[in-house]
Amino acid sequence: MKLLLTSGGISNISIRDALVDMLGKPIEESNALCIPTAVYAIPGGAWNAWKFLNGQSGAPMCEVGWKSMGVLELSALPSLGKEHWVPMVKEIDVLLVDGGDPLYLNYWMKQSGLAELLPSLDSVYVGLSAGSMVMAPNIGEFFVNWTPPNGGDETLNLVDFAMFPHLEHEMLPYNTMANAEKWAAGMQGPAYAMDDQTAIKVIDGEVEVVSEGQWKLFTP
């Protein structure tokens, strides 16, 4: 699977161009499934889910001109037979995965069966904040809010680096470079701090930073 891991969505022309290159065709010819699940675990989640799906979140994802869009709610999938959703996921061009709580998203990705399916997909996975962080081996205590049944901060481990999103965001006063450095010091592997004008592109294990903003790679 091709990964485009963003902090603030498809927020500039460089990230959009990277997405089109990964799709291999225009956005206007591509079909998307939107996954809002992570946002329900934060305050105001229901309202924020509506904003995400209606293109009013301030982080461009659903509103960039897709040919068609559907909604895939992960918490509903365990009650359905896989024939109801797996063929659709296999045929889709892109998965758009909203932000919110990364551990809550991790839990439902595993419970739903989507986590197991992801590595075999030919589609593009576009993560927004928590939707990106969930791909890492773990997220670090700095980002633990919702507590999974078995505790811990482990996530999907589909990439070998962690992410600190929304760097120096005016609405998130704790997301400073100084705090990113402290966070990175507690991580076991490579870790990126990235602002909302930055994304990380991963294809066949090759990692490329796409940015019109600020980012920093921390290595152990």
Side-chain angles (χ1 to χ4, degrees):
M1 191 171 200
K2 302 171 185 176
L3 307 177
L4 187 62
L5 306 176
T6 82
S7 173
I10 307 162
S11 55
N12 58 51
I13 191 65
S14 297
I15 295 174
R16 186 184 177 101
D17 287 349
L19 173 58
V20 171
D21 182 63
M22 294 168 82
L23 288 167
K25 59 183 176 180
I27 288 173
E28 294 76 13
E29 297 176 10
S30 303
N31 301 303
L33 282 178
C34 311
I35 300 177
T37 305
V39 81
Y40 292 116
I42 65 172
W47 307 111
N48 289 323
W50 188 92
K51 289 179 180 179
F52 169 68
L53 296 171
N54 284 274
Q56 298 180 15
S57 69
M61 291 281 275
C62 298
E63 63 266 42
V64 298
W66 303 104
K67 180 180 180 181
S68 70
M69 291 187 295
V71 179
L72 190 69
E73 175 45 57
L74 302 185
S75 61
L77 300 185
S79 62
L80 300 172
K82 289 191 174 182
E83 69 275 10
H84 287 281
W85 63 275
V86 169
M88 177 175 55
V89 171
K90 287 183 175 180
E91 294 169 4
I92 208 69
D93 295 306
V94 62
L95 294 173
L96 305 174
V97 186
D98 196 12
D101 192 290
L103 294 180
Y104 185 76
L105 177 60
N106 176 70
Y107 176 81
W108 283 110
M109 279 196 167
K110 291 178 177 177
Q111 290 294 310
S112 67
L114 180 62
E116 183 179 358
L117 188 62
L118 285 176
S120 68
L121 298 179
D122 294 325
S123 52
V124 178
Y125 177 107
V126 183
L128 164 61
S129 188
S132 298
M133 296 168 70
V134 74
M135 289 289 156
N138 64 314
I139 61 170
E141 288 299 319
F142 185 89
F143 293 108
V144 174
N145 291 296
W146 183 84
T147 304
N150 295 326
D153 70 329
E154 292 79 17
T155 39
L156 296 180
N157 198 25
L158 293 179
V159 298
D160 63 359
F161 55 85
M163 286 153 280
F164 184 109
H166 310 303
L167 180 65
E168 304 292 0
H169 196 288
E170 63 274 9
M171 295 180 65
L172 298 168
Y174 295 104
N175 284 36
T176 63
M177 183 63 81
N179 281 336
E181 291 177 357
K182 293 176 184 177
W183 163 82
M187 306 303 284
Q188 297 300 310
Y192 288 88
M194 51 197 287
D195 70 3
D196 284 6
Q197 297 300 316
T198 300
I200 301 174
K201 177 180 174 182
V202 185
I203 301 177
D204 295 330
E206 293 294 322
V207 178
E208 177 186 347
V209 177
V210 180
S211 181
E212 294 184 11
Q214 182 181 11
W215 63 277
K216 185 173 182 178
L217 171 61
F218 301 94
T219 54

